[in-house]
Amino acid sequence: MDRFAAMEAFVRVVESGTFTKAADAMGRPKAAVTRLIQQLEAQLRVKLLHRTTRRVTVTPEGMTYYQQALRLLGEVRNLEATLTQTRRGPRGRLRVESSGTISRLLIIPALPSFCARYPQLQIELGVSDRVVDLLSDNVDCAIRGGGVKDDSLVARHLGDLDYWVCAAPRYLERHGAPHHPLELAGASHAMVSYFAAPSGKQLPFVFQRGTERLEVHGRSQLLLNETNAYLAAGLAGLGVMIAPRFVVEPYLASGELVSVLEGWQPEARPIFLVYPPARQRDAGLRVFIDWVLELCASRTNVWRRDG
């Protein structure tokens, strides 16, 4: 039995929750991964996993082994990286998740310089607004908006997105411009709203003016859960929208959107780069994190100016 391969297979199964996902991540047949785990349990003379037709759970002994195996694998990879990457530079696959807006307007336009600097790194950029499970989906890091609820992840604050309230001229011709946020809850106006996946819950518009704070659940004919589609709906005149300042500025300059509700400031949204602590020893992830932090610090037009 290849002890190192068996240890890696066990860690992959624990993190992904299934033998199938672990096998896909390792590029091995499922039967080979199953055999490695069986050999490992036989060698250790202890049951590491409980298996049913629907799920795989870790035994108490398995969790102890997982924690130590994760540390040992990390030390081995760190040693290999130290010996080889000074000469060759970071290499391999890096899986990143980010929203459509951040990907399209911030990350992707700047990627040529990163790729030129690290030609041996392959970036897999998953573009969506869904919240992925980094461990089970085998994701190295994600760029997320809002608070980070998972305490098991390391979170690096990139900045706070500044939001503006806008509407297309064709919408304003039909409905007029609202003068107070509460008008958006009435029958004379409509909002382009965002809903959270997978709950389907409509997210409210939150406004601030001085010490006053309003949460508005307005009337919406259209709810979306992807940022680029949300922008397209606002441009089509389907309702009043709230979007990041750096996203809507070109459309305000061209006249395709008009700013409304002057004096009312939509609530800022913090953006974080998150990753599992065990992944931070990976040289490719380290250079990507440093690059994202440097990029975000240089793009002062993206973040709320008042800090």
Side-chain angles (χ1 to χ4, degrees), residues 200-214:
K201 181 181 178 181
Q202 178 179 345
L203 301 181
F205 282 13
V206 180
F207 299 91
Q208 296 172 320
R209 185 176 64 179
T211 59
E212 189 176 4
R213 184 180 185 274
L214 290 175

Side-chain angles (χ1 to χ4, degrees), residues 2-44:
D2 185 333
R3 184 73 62 86
F4 187 84
M7 190 182 298
E8 184 176 19
F10 174 71
V11 167
R12 293 283 191 176
V13 171
V14 172
E15 291 183 344
S16 66
T18 71
F19 280 81
T20 300
K21 287 184 178 180
D24 290 342
M26 296 181 68
R28 287 172 173 257
K30 179 183 175 182
V33 173
T34 301
R35 186 165 55 253
L36 283 170
I37 301 300
Q38 291 172 341
Q39 292 172 345
L40 181 62
E41 289 180 323
Q43 176 72 29
L44 297 173

